[in-house]
Amino acid sequence: MPTASHLNNSLYFDFRAARRVPETHAWPGLHEHPVVDGGGAAAGTGDAVPVVDVRAPDAAARVARAAEQWGAFLVTGHGVPASLLARVEERIARMFALPAAEKMRAVRAPGEACGYGSPPISSSFSKRMWSEGYTFSPVSLRSDLRRLWPKAGDDYRLFCDVMEEFHKEMRQLADKLLELFLRALGLTGEQIAGVQAERKIGETMTATMHLNWYPRCPDPQRALGLIAHTDSGFFTFVLQSLVPGLQLFRRGPDRWVAVPAVPGAFVVNIGDLFHILTNGRFHSVYHRAVVNHDRDRISLGYFLGPPPHVKVAPLTEAVPRGRSPAYRAVTWPEYMAVRKKAFTTGGSALKMVSASAAAAAAEPDAL
Ligand SMILES: C=C1C[C@]23C[C@@]1(O)CC[C@H]2[C@@]12CCC[C@@](C)(C(=O)O1)[C@H]2[C@@H]3C(=O)O
Ligand SMILES: O=C(O)CCC(=O)C(=O)O
Ligand SMILES: [Fe+2]
């Protein structure tokens, strides 16, 4: 029997002891759509996940195509050393291997952004996911991580050192990618400088790290690592270890495209606030993570978004001349609240913040 024990007032499900997937973790409808391979073998079929080498002279054009047609792509040539990525993955694996009681010292309190446990989105669903995660802010990681390692020994120090080094590299890469995105939207150097000076997107962008652990699963066909979702912020870098599991949803025909695990590459997912910022030209991608029978899987999400008090509205440059913006301005927390409501009503959070929804709400009696 799988065990569940109360630790620090939180229900801990012992994945390691599970010999079967209990009803609490069994998701209906997982196989509604076929899964196709998005790796090299798919070249020419339209299912190969786009790859952008950020050093290439046509990188902006490639980003534009991928952002418009997929909402996601693989990034190579980014300059983050492979040896650093290997150390990051090693430290994450050691953290997840801590005894349950130690991990649960850092359990996420209800409504809190950071901490250990099920992914925040899971509070909107009755079924449980086959994963554990840890969210922290890279700028306060030394204090946050004391909850996991109160004695601040070698494991604590090595984890913090490597994550700080990683954050430094990633924050620079995020700036580079933002610039590429703005070029991909067709903005000139002068317009980009103007947008950055006025909206200060790059300067104020915040980073959050979320680590995922998907334990090996006795029946991967019944369980789900991470429910299908769009990321809510601007964009996310995902580092998936050598074990694949990330799938992107594509329409016409509806299918899941399995993202290949490319050593050293990051997956970039466009989030909902970037969808809004670009007036829907670059669209956020619906994605999920599946689990594996034989191997644990680890992934890292590096989430970029605006500071909590900043309203995100479509860039003037992204709105076609003579048209009005397709979305109303929202802060990240406001958007998260709308998304939570959308999960319960089955609606679309992006539609709920569209300008037409706002107009309809302002004139409820209008014909
Ligand atoms: C910055 C954030 C994005 C995120 C919520 C969070 O505050 C920290 C964790 C992120 C994550 C990771 C797993 C999937 C997801 C939907 C979730 O539940 O937590 C995302 C959130 C998001 O993109 O909205
Ligand atoms: O595990 C993965 O590959 C995806 C993770 C993810 O989508 C997320 O953390 O938001
Ligand atoms: Fe995600």
Side-chain angles (χ1 to χ4, degrees):
M1 266 297 280
T3 57
S5 54
H6 285 276
L7 288 164
N8 286 2
N9 297 325
S10 175
L11 202 60
Y12 185 82
F13 180 80
D14 185 356
F15 290 105
R16 282 282 179 253
R19 295 287 165 264
R20 61 181 185 84
V21 172
E23 271 310 310
T24 47
H25 289 68
W27 289 77
L30 281 186
H31 310 290
E32 198 182 329
H33 307 296
V35 176
V36 299
D37 180 22
T45 66
D47 279 334
V49 178
V51 181
V52 178
D53 182 330
V54 289
R55 298 162 305 186
D58 64 345
R62 283 174 179 271
V63 166
R65 247 192 328 270
E68 283 168 356
Q69 295 173 9
W70 284 73
F73 49 92
L74 282 154
V75 164
T76 59
H78 47 67
V80 183
S83 56
L84 173 59
L85 300 183
R87 279 189 294 130
V88 164
E89 292 191 322
E90 184 201 336
R91 286 292 136 195
I92 297 175
R94 286 177 76 101
M95 187 274 286
F96 282 124
L98 286 172
E102 292 178 29
K103 291 187 283 192
M104 298 309 277
R105 278 198 292 243
V107 75
R108 183 196 315 274
E112 229 182 52
C114 295
Y116 197 91
S118 304
I121 201 177
S122 60
S123 64
S124 300
F125 298 89
S126 55
K127 292 286 182 180
R128 297 185 66 187
M129 297 171 207
W130 204 266
S131 61
E132 289 177 13
Y134 180 57
T135 313
F136 62 96
S137 158
V139 291
S140 57
L141 92 163
R142 289 207 182 253
S143 54
D144 287 359
L145 268 295
R146 289 296 287 272
R147 285 173 69 195
L148 269 180
W149 284 290
K151 291 195 183 131
D154 284 351
D155 278 344
Y156 164 83
R157 193 177 41 77
L158 289 165
F159 185 94
C160 292
D161 288 352
V162 80
M163 290 303 167
E164 269 180 1
E165 199 179 330
F166 178 74
H167 169 53
K168 218 161 134 196
E169 294 276 353
M170 294 308 288
R171 196 56 190 76
Q172 277 177 25
L173 181 59
D175 281 340
K176 199 188 277 181
L177 197 68
L178 177 64
E179 167 103 20
L180 258 182
F181 272 128
L182 294 175
R183 275 174 44 207
L185 271 178
L187 271 65
T188 61
E190 206 178 322
Q191 285 175 313
I192 292 175
V195 164
Q196 294 284 34
E198 191 198 327
R199 306 273 297 253
K200 301 200 172 18
I201 302 168
E203 203 180 307
T204 61
M205 218 161 42
T206 63
T208 306
M209 283 168 75
H210 179 83
L211 315 177
N212 295 293
W213 176 50
Y214 306 98
R216 54 186 176 273
C217 174
D219 190 356
Q221 297 297 316
R222 248 164 84 81
L224 187 58
L226 192 53
I227 177 81
H229 65 280
T230 50
D231 294 342
S232 57
F234 282 156
F235 52 92
T236 312
F237 291 99
V238 179
L239 178 65
Q240 63 172 339
S241 66
L242 297 178
V243 183
L246 175 61
Q247 299 180 342
L248 310 175
F249 188 65
R250 304 272 290 154
R251 291 211 169 274
D254 292 354
R255 62 208 185 277
W256 289 102
V257 176
V259 181
V262 177
F266 293 109
V267 184
V268 170
N269 290 334
I270 290 178
D272 290 339
L273 291 183
F274 216 60
H275 185 115
I276 294 172
L277 188 79
T278 63
N279 204 42
R281 205 174 128 194
F282 294 170
H283 71 86
S284 53
V285 65
Y286 200 53
H287 57 283
R288 69 178 186 179
V290 296
V291 290
N292 191 286
H293 185 271
D294 304 311
R295 298 170 70 183
D296 286 11
R297 174 170 182 265
I298 277 168
S299 72
L300 176 157
Y302 187 87
F303 295 82
L304 281 312
H309 60 279
V310 168
K311 291 255 187 203
V312 177
L315 291 170
T316 319
E317 293 79 356
V319 179
R321 211 182 292 274
R323 290 273 209 34
S324 46
Y327 297 95
R328 70 174 167 91
V330 275
T331 65
W332 199 351
E334 276 166 8
Y335 184 75
M336 297 281 257
V338 171
R339 188 175 68 169
K340 203 166 170 69
K341 201 184 249 174
F343 280 137
T344 53
T345 58
S348 148
L350 277 175
K351 275 199 188 129
M352 287 160 78
V353 298
S354 67
S356 50
E363 289 181 62
D365 298 329
L367 288 175

